[in-house]
Amino acid sequence: ETNSTVNAPAGTVSFSGNANVGINGAYTASNTVISAGTASFNDVALTGDGALAGGRLGGSGTFTVNGMMTWTAGIMEGSGTTALAAGATLTASGANTKDFGSRTFENNGTLTISGGGALRLLSGALVAVNNTASGVVDFQDDTSFLSPFGATGTINNAGTVQKSGGTGVSTVQLALNNSGRIDVRSGTLQVKGQVFSNETDGVIQGSGTLDVSQTSFTADGVVNPGDLLGALTIVGNLPQSDSGNIDIELGGTNAGADYDRLVVTGGATLKGVLNVSLANGFHPVGGDTFEILKYASHTGFFDSISGLDLGGGFYLEPTFTGTNVILTTVDSRPRPQFSSLQMLPGGSLDFTLTGVAGQTFEIQATTNFLSWEPVLTITNAGAVYDLVVTDSTNYPHRFYRTFQP
């Protein structure tokens, strides 16, 4: 049809049979269903809901979905754009493949991928997936986005690309430029496109596995294991640049559960910044250790490390070995000292303790060295503390010590 306009704001427009329908004017529908044939939208096209269950959706215009659309079979093609408005959803599901010819896909809403039937680029296709800041691409199981015929495809992610389900592998066989967030919550996300660039504003996070062993991977942004706390595995090398950051949170002493760990199966280039912070109100005590990074080999020692001074006389000391980085908590607080003892009239004992300025500590006592009982807790002490023990005559012998929590 030439110079045609379709206006069905309260109805469903269905495309079926083998017809090739070209709509060269404005198109508005409450619901658009394409099950066979070709629907070519060559001007501004708006639909509330929709379904692509077969046939072809194409044209040179922009086809915008404002509500909910399903994609269970068929092809998106043409020089135009398929767009999801903010808040809209496209559910690509089922066992059938869903194919792209040359097309731009602009996602301001949510694209979910599941069911085992891969999204696929057809031979000779030129496809750009622009995932904007509000956009989410969610691999809900082990379904993939493939380019098996050598077509050129690129995902430009400023929003979120995540694998939220499935314990196996979801493969992305497109180039991936990330200035948003890559979140591997489950299983393995494998990037096999020609390049994978984690740009300076990009974040890679999660508690699953990211496989970069079959792409050219650059790491200029942030790597943040866990969605809060967790372990992230990178299969391949981590070529962190001077602008890169690794963010580690410590919320306990159990690796991968209470504190973050990054595992790199290949070589790790340790440039840029290592940021360490505490989480969930946790504060390490002297001697606590945290294996935060594992690798097969490494070069470099980071350009800077933040968060090592925990305050109150505690700090984290990093140790770099051939296979890991370990943080050890060092307690450098001054130690209270018994400096003098005086027996007072009546048998009471007067202890003088030094080295206690600003310290919180407990005085404990024992008669057998097996069980120590608290005598007194002192908080924020002055420079010298005098302790008078009035019940000392009740014991033939008694021993005292200080304990710093």
Side-chain angles (χ1 to χ4, degrees):
E1 299 181 12
T2 303
N3 299 323
S4 55
T5 297
V6 175
N7 186 21
T12 297
V13 178
S14 296
F15 298 85
S16 58
N18 295 318
N20 185 346
V21 180
I23 301 173
N24 300 321
Y27 174 92
T28 302
S30 176
N31 188 31
T32 302
V33 177
I34 305 170
S35 58
T38 299
S40 297
F41 302 92
N42 299 315
D43 202 332
V44 176
L46 304 174
T47 189
D49 300 327
L52 179 57
R56 298 169 181 266
L57 187 162
S60 58
T62 298
F63 181 85
T64 300
V65 179
N66 290 310
M68 296 180 292
M69 183 172 179
T70 60
W71 188 7
T72 54
I75 301 171
M76 292 191 188
E77 63 182 5
S79 60
T81 299
T82 300
L84 290 186
T89 60
L90 174 61
T91 302
S93 62
N96 295 321
T97 57
K98 277 72 69 174
D99 292 331
F100 278 102
S102 292
R103 190 77 173 166
T104 296
F105 182 81
E106 182 174 310
N107 182 29
N108 301 286
T110 300
L111 167 63
T112 63
I113 303 170
S114 65
L119 273 64
R120 189 175 65 172
L121 306 189
L122 296 177
S123 178
L126 180 62
V127 176
V129 177
N130 298 321
N131 198 48
T132 68
S134 62
V136 176
V137 177
D138 186 7
F139 292 85
Q140 297 184 331
D141 58 16
D142 299 328
T143 305
S144 296
F145 197 163
L146 303 176
S147 179
F149 310 114
T152 301
T154 302
I155 298 175
N156 299 306
N157 178 49
T160 299
V161 173
Q162 64 188 29
K163 180 170 169 59
S164 63
T167 58
V169 179
S170 290
T171 298
V172 176
Q173 204 173 1
L174 289 77
L176 177 54
N177 299 316
N178 179 50
S179 60
R181 191 174 300 271
I182 307 293
D183 190 357
V184 189
R185 301 181 181 180
S186 179
T188 298
L189 182 65
Q190 180 186 53
V191 182
K192 289 181 66 176
Q194 185 175 6
V195 295
F196 175 18
S197 173
N198 191 38
E199 299 170 358
T200 54
D201 293 332
V203 177
I204 295 171
Q205 67 179 48
S207 298
T209 299
L210 178 66
D211 186 345
V212 298
S213 63
Q214 300 183 61
T215 187
S216 177
F217 178 45
T218 56
D220 298 321
V222 175
V223 178
N224 181 16
D227 287 300
L228 177 59
L229 299 170
L232 175 66
T233 298
I234 294 179
V235 176
N237 298 323
L238 175 63
Q240 179 160 303
S241 73
D242 292 336
S243 65
N245 288 260
I246 295 177
D247 292 348
I248 297 293
E249 293 180 295
L250 308 178
T253 57
N254 186 14
D258 297 329
Y259 74 85
D260 292 338
R261 173 182 283 172
L262 177 62
V263 179
V264 180
T265 65
T269 301
L270 304 182
K271 293 183 179 181
V273 180
L274 172 63
N275 296 307
V276 181
S277 60
L278 302 180
N280 298 335
F282 174 67
H283 199 289
V285 299
D288 283 349
T289 60
F290 309 92
E291 187 186 40
I292 61 168
L293 183 56
K294 298 179 69 175
Y295 39 71
S297 62
H298 85 97
T299 58
F301 298 91
F302 297 109
D303 300 329
S304 64
I305 303 177
S306 69
L308 297 182
D309 187 349
L310 303 178
F314 291 87
Y315 67 92
L316 297 168
E317 183 174 26
T319 301
F320 293 77
T321 77
T323 57
N324 63 9
V325 177
I326 298 173
L327 300 178
T328 301
T329 309
V330 177
D331 182 355
S332 63
R333 294 174 296 176
R335 300 295 182 233
Q337 301 290 326
F338 290 95
S339 63
S340 66
L341 171 64
Q342 181 181 3
M343 181 172 287
L344 302 177
S348 296
L349 298 177
D350 185 357
F351 292 101
T352 298
L353 288 87
T354 59
V356 297
Q359 300 296 310
T360 295
F361 60 95
E362 185 177 81
I363 297 175
Q364 300 175 342
T366 186
T367 58
N368 55 20
F369 292 102
L370 297 176
S371 60
W372 291 85
E373 298 179 352
V375 175
L376 185 66
T377 298
I378 297 93
T379 302
N380 196 24
V384 176
Y385 187 82
D386 284 318
L387 170 66
V388 177
V389 179
T390 59
D391 62 349
S392 59
T393 57
N394 296 336
Y395 304 93
H397 56 265
R398 201 181 192 197
F399 304 90
Y400 296 87
R401 72 178 184 184
T402 61
F403 170 76
Q404 292 173 284

